[in-house]
Amino acid sequence: MRIRNLAVAALGVAALCGASGCRKHARTAKVDPLLAAYDSEADWNDSTKMIPLGYQQAQGKRVFYQYCVWCHADSTPAGPSNRSNLTPVPALLDDGATLNAESDEYLGNIITLGGSALGKSAMMPPYGRTLSPEEIRSVIAFTRAIAQPPYQPPGRPGSQYSAR
Amino acid sequence: MGKVTDRMRFVFAVLSLIFLAVLAISPFKDYRREWKQYKRSYLRFAQGRPDTKRLTADYSPGIDQIWLPGMNVVDRCTTCHQGITQSSLADKSVPQPFRAHPPIPHNMREWGCTICHRGQGPATEVAEAHESTLAWEQPVLPTHFIQASCGTCHQSDLPQTPQLARGRQLLAEFNCQGCHKMQGIERPAMLGPDLTSIGTKVSREWIYKWLKEPRTIVDKDGNVTVNGYETEEEPRMPKFRLSETELRALAAYLSVQKAKALRPYKISPAVVAAWSKNPELISQGELRFRQMFCTTCHSLAVTRAGETKLIGGDIGPELTKVGSKVNTDWLIAWLRDPEAYLPHTRMTRYGWSDEDLYKVSQYITTKLVDSDLLSDVPKLDPPADEEIQLGRGLFIEKGCASCHTIEGVNPQKDFGPDLSALGGKNASELEFGAAKIPHNLVSYIQAKLEDPVSVNPAARMPRYSWNQPDLDAVTTALLSMKGAPPTSAFENLLVPRKPSSFRATGSFAEVYERYKCYACHRFNGYGGDLAPDLTYEGSRAERQWLVEFLKSPQTLRPTLILRMPQLNMSDKDAATLADYLALVMQHPAVNPASKDAKEFTPAMATLGKQLYEVKYQCQSCHTIGSSGGYVGPNLSNAGGWLTPAWIEAWLRNPQALIPDSIEPRRNFTDEEILALTAYLVTLRAGIKPQKTAVNIGALASEQGAGR
């Protein structure tokens, strides 16, 4: 009698359990941020630190290393940088202290229209007829990704809401 | 029928309650399904955002799917990934699975998700969609390797997929096609060097050493580092797992390969007598070695402050210890006529004077040596017949004949497995052996590349040492090879490689072949990418400038380390090349005869100078005289070098002439273009002899190699 009751109760518990999700959910393992990234770039001041880049930032990296690196970095794929030849000295692309304060619109304008159109040095040529708007946006995204100190987007802080 | 007791009633009552509970669980369980939870949480999430209306415009509580019958795509990914097309959800702070997809050139609705990301489209649970389970074989491809998916259709290289392009380049460079069949990687005329006469070049001891350890330049940690980047100049020869007996036998077999006897060249005794006692001999040899820019193709190791770097190009082998490798007679014969020893070589045939030949060969055999190179090689006696026979067997058995030619041994094609469909394999089709790695394709490929015997103890594949970026690049390229398209819909998507259509003709062909112009320059899609593309050189450069440049290459970009070699060309050769370039290699829209420098007035040139210096500040990138930047070429001799027609067309739209030129296209007016052209054609500078070559060599060693 008691045994039967116990058995029935156990059956009930088992059924409830199986149904309501006592079983372990196969959670996706913690993903390596670099494996989940399209590309990566070493921190300019610390080559051991890798910064993961998304698709758009990675496209920006490509455009940067083709067109911009010659004047906006201290070492270039060809060796020395053209930066030292220029006055005023162009900002390094990872110079967050200078560039974080500028809006995406401003950076977009100076790349598209060149320095002289915005009252800055004419040594910065316009790229609006060479690069597509998408390429220019991607260079800005790359700039934001490698900025030191890190770039904080303005406006509403990101939602703290979690998906689950 | 017995009497219904109270006890039975009680049992019935309890059981009924339990069944009722179990029945109620079913809808509850359905309500709690993973995807439904994501659906609901997306709604709650959208309500917390300012643009709720737009975010929920096409919300439906059911399963969303992208169905593309022609491509076998049923992708339900958008059931949970509901925000992929919402541009306001692009920010990193948006939690997954709701974040927007980055803006890519394809429309997600037309392509689905699994075409690129793999994984299981029809699955509705997180684990089943993303991971491989017993029933579902394809896990999601890590984003790090996603460029492989671009390469499945885009067989020509795209600028957006550098990792894939690097991987394909490495597969070709390391001669993987010697043993494996691979999609889109062609077999060249020569893979590894032809060994037909290797016995006339090197000793049995050196072969033994090379087979045992092809890398001989290491820093104190045992790594070859180039610009802080390990083993960039890895010898293309991989490391085979050979026993002592096998090493001795192969070395014996190879050392007797002397099909073409060496014909030593006798340097004039007068030259030897004049120079052999001169204390300047070696330093003069080094000077000539640098002036001829051998380092454009070959690298040398330089150790400074404990750090070893290879400086120079990688078209030919690294030469740091070559003096301990080859014998002097062979070296002199080789320098005079490389093709006589090695058909299909990319080594250019310099025009040598006996004096140069003596100085440079003495420098190489005296300075580029390492007396310890062969110190760990045991004493080897003259090869015995059994050893030679054993060596021959090993040469075939180990697959050497896949890359190297030897007289009397048939070339072995497809020695290794066919890899042209490797990228589409499921985990169950792969042999993991005892390897303790995750059972998926990416881990398999990486383990196999790193150490072939780790997944298959009987593997014949030799060992390569990769750095991580290269390993990932090669993995990406292999993952892109998914074999023949499964359906005709896919076949239509293929973007094939553009065939190159350059055939050199006439007397030009002979000179071009002798100097191997194509090793560095590209002609209409054919050739190397180290030096400028010469497809439109006839429209760009003045013929007279071409002749002078070929005879005495003066670089237009002084910061470059890898430069046009001083080939010591005869007047006749220079004229043949210049004529062909000037007449044949023309841009259809830029006719150099259409513009004459005489039509420009001094007033135009004055205005042009002002535009150049003040309004457009071209000096930030170009040098004239001694001041200016060095992003673009030096324009001191622009008038002597460039045709007016080219300058004008270039100022109008540089990318129309050279698509990947970095010169920005400006909004010049027609008047400004004429003025700038007028100014530039007035710039003339004589070509001075290359006095600074020594300093440049020193500079090169300081700056490190680079392009």
Side-chain angles (χ1 to χ4, degrees), chain B residues 403-438:
Chain B
C403 290
H404 298 284
T405 311
I406 277 193
E407 218 173 52
V409 178
N410 289 330
Q412 294 162 299
K413 280 186 189 168
D414 306 332
F415 184 73
D418 184 344
L419 300 184
S420 50
L422 177 70
K425 285 220 181 346
N426 288 329
S428 61
E429 296 171 81
L430 306 167
E431 298 274 354
F432 285 91
K436 288 193 173 49
I437 51 169

Side-chain angles (χ1 to χ4, degrees), chain B residues 344-406:
Chain B
H344 309 297
T345 180
R346 286 188 289 176
M347 170 88 172
T348 184
R349 202 165 125 196
Y350 284 87
W352 290 96
S353 65
D354 271 15
E355 201 166 296
D356 280 348
L357 199 55
Y358 184 64
K359 286 192 278 192
V360 171
S361 61
Q362 285 296 314
Y363 162 68
I364 293 175
T365 50
T366 319
K367 278 288 165 155
L368 303 183
V369 291
D370 175 8
S371 52
D372 291 338
L373 182 66
L374 302 178
S375 59
D376 58 348
V377 177
K379 190 166 159 21
L380 299 173
D381 300 322
D385 277 351
E386 313 84 81
E387 277 183 314
I388 295 173
Q389 279 315 312
L390 179 60
R392 186 185 146 87
L394 285 167
F395 188 81
I396 295 164
E397 187 192 310
K398 298 281 176 190
C400 310
S402 298
C403 290
H404 298 284
T405 311
I406 277 193

